[in-house]
Amino acid sequence: MDEVLLRQALEFGKPYTGKGEVASYIPELSKADGRELGICVKTIDGEELHCGYWQRRFTIQSISKAINLAMALEHHGFDAVFLKTNMEPSGASFNAMSRISDSEDIPFNPLVNSGAIAIVELLVPLGLEYMLSAVRGLCGDKYITVDEDVFHSEWSHSARNRSLAYLLQSKGLINGDVDETLRLYTQLCSLSVTAESLANLGQLLANGGVQPETGRRLLKEEVVRTTLTMMLTCGMYDGSGEFAVRVGLPSKSGVGGGILSVVPGEMGIGVYGPSLDRKGNSVAGQKVLEYISRREKLHILDRYAQRTVPTEQN
Ligand code: GLU
């Protein structure tokens, strides 16, 4: 991959910015410029490529759910985490009430709002400062902070998430203070990142949880494996199936316009494009990733096919 390809991918994606809308259910997010598009790639060998608005700061939103899942797995283990959510794609919108409103069920997966809110309860004892410093480390970006304007904007328009949180409490999936869990969940959605921060995180995940430059392990191998599997099957909400066919990379989107994508064993990719489709995924960002995946044969199943050599007939 080279910068020419990235530029071509961005040119391919640009017309699609006009086919979506910036998020407005969190009023502060409606200030973003939907025409912006940027990408950053970091390979595990330390090569970096970038193009467009790759340094624009935006809020991480739902991409935090992948980090929260990894952190909860690190600190509490697989069984404790998956007592709170299942591991199934929901086929429903990101903030759906379905499934947990049935009498005994639990959220579909950790990457939809209901599952993510349940999991953040496990992170409350760690606290915001600890999480902030962990996210800075995982994203290799010491400038990440809570964007207070976005936080307050979402906090004062959080009726839906609040309803989900109380429903979770009624099912025994939140046992502590609902307000505290919801506050931390919303703060973690309001962390300001760039496409580069996401590419750094992707690079770490692509390298099995070990920082390539330092050789330091930041996440356990099985934590990375579980997180990437959830991203592959559930990371793009009710667009996860089609995205898996078209792009075929573990990815997580956020309504701030970011997409984190991981090419296991090779590279991390961060994309920014705040114009969203109706499912809440960056409309041009998905096109950019599809272009790159096709041109470079990055779809994880394409790569498997490349390794399969025809057998000799006798
Ligand atoms: N903070 C947003 C919410 O909870 C995140 C949604 C998203 O990025 O998809 O509604």
Side-chain angles (χ1 to χ4, degrees), residues 25-26 61-62 65 94 113 154 161 185 189 237 254-255:
Y25 78 99
I26 300 173
Q61 296 301 335
S62 273
K65 291 170 174 148
F94 68 93
N113 286 16
E154 180 165 7
N161 283 341
Y185 165 84
C189 284
Y237 299 123
V255 293

Side-chain angles (χ1 to χ4, degrees), residues 7-253:
R7 229 170 295 128
Q8 287 169 344
L10 233 60
E11 287 311 314
F12 176 76
K14 263 183 198 158
Y16 292 92
T17 60
K19 297 197 186 299
E21 306 257 353
V22 297
S24 58
Y25 78 99
I26 300 173
E28 194 65 22
L29 295 184
S30 65
K31 295 183 180 165
D33 182 345
R35 290 164 303 185
E36 290 185 355
L37 192 57
I39 182 164
C40 182
V41 173
K42 300 250 179 149
T43 70
I44 64 170
D45 304 328
E47 198 191 342
E48 174 178 340
L49 299 168
H50 47 246
C51 194
Y53 288 85
W54 63 285
Q55 286 175 306
R56 168 72 72 224
R57 287 228 165 243
F58 59 93
T59 51
I60 191 167
Q61 296 301 335
S62 273
I63 302 166
S64 62
K65 291 170 174 148
I67 301 179
N68 299 344
L69 170 62
M71 291 296 290
L73 287 166
E74 279 285 322
H75 286 266
H76 297 272
F78 190 90
D79 293 345
V81 166
F82 290 106
L83 272 179
K84 291 202 173 252
T85 86
N86 284 336
M87 293 176 235
E88 300 305 329
S90 70
S93 65
F94 68 93
N95 57 5
M97 310 281 282
S98 54
R99 178 61 75 96
I100 53 164
S101 52
D102 297 349
S103 58
E104 57 208 331
D105 270 333
I106 66 174
F108 277 95
N109 67 67
L111 301 184
V112 290
N113 286 16
S114 53
I117 294 168
I119 279 175
V120 165
E121 191 187 28
L122 296 172
L123 305 175
V124 167
L126 299 174
L128 176 64
E129 283 313 311
Y130 181 93
M131 282 301 295
L132 187 53
S133 117
V135 175
R136 285 177 178 153
L138 296 172
C139 292
D141 179 357
K142 60 182 186 210
Y143 298 108
I144 293 176
T145 53
V146 176
D147 181 324
E148 293 292 339
D149 293 336
V150 174
F151 167 72
H152 288 292
S153 184
E154 180 165 7
W155 190 243
S156 53
H157 291 82
S158 59
R160 179 80 179 198
N161 283 341
R162 200 164 282 278
S163 319
L164 284 171
Y166 279 108
L167 193 52
L168 291 165
Q169 187 190 43
S170 76
K171 305 280 175 197
L173 295 168
I174 291 183
N175 298 301
D177 186 63
V178 168
D179 221 55
E180 212 177 359
T181 297
L182 199 59
R183 177 176 286 271
L184 183 60
Y185 165 84
T186 311
Q187 286 166 325
L188 294 172
C189 284
S190 308
L191 298 182
S192 63
V193 293
T194 62
E196 185 177 18
S197 338
L198 298 181
N200 287 335
L201 173 59
Q203 180 201 46
L204 177 78
L205 295 172
N207 203 35
V210 174
Q211 246 177 357
E213 319 84 73
T214 62
R216 265 185 67 211
R217 174 167 291 287
L218 300 189
L219 295 171
K220 293 185 196 98
E221 211 168 344
E222 71 262 27
V223 164
V224 172
R225 187 171 177 273
T226 304
T227 305
L228 290 181
T229 310
M230 288 289 96
M231 287 168 60
L232 184 65
T233 54
C234 312
M236 306 295 283
Y237 299 123
D238 39 338
S240 298
E242 183 172 345
F243 187 83
V245 170
R246 292 185 183 279
V247 180
L249 295 174
S251 299
K252 182 72 202 89
S253 62

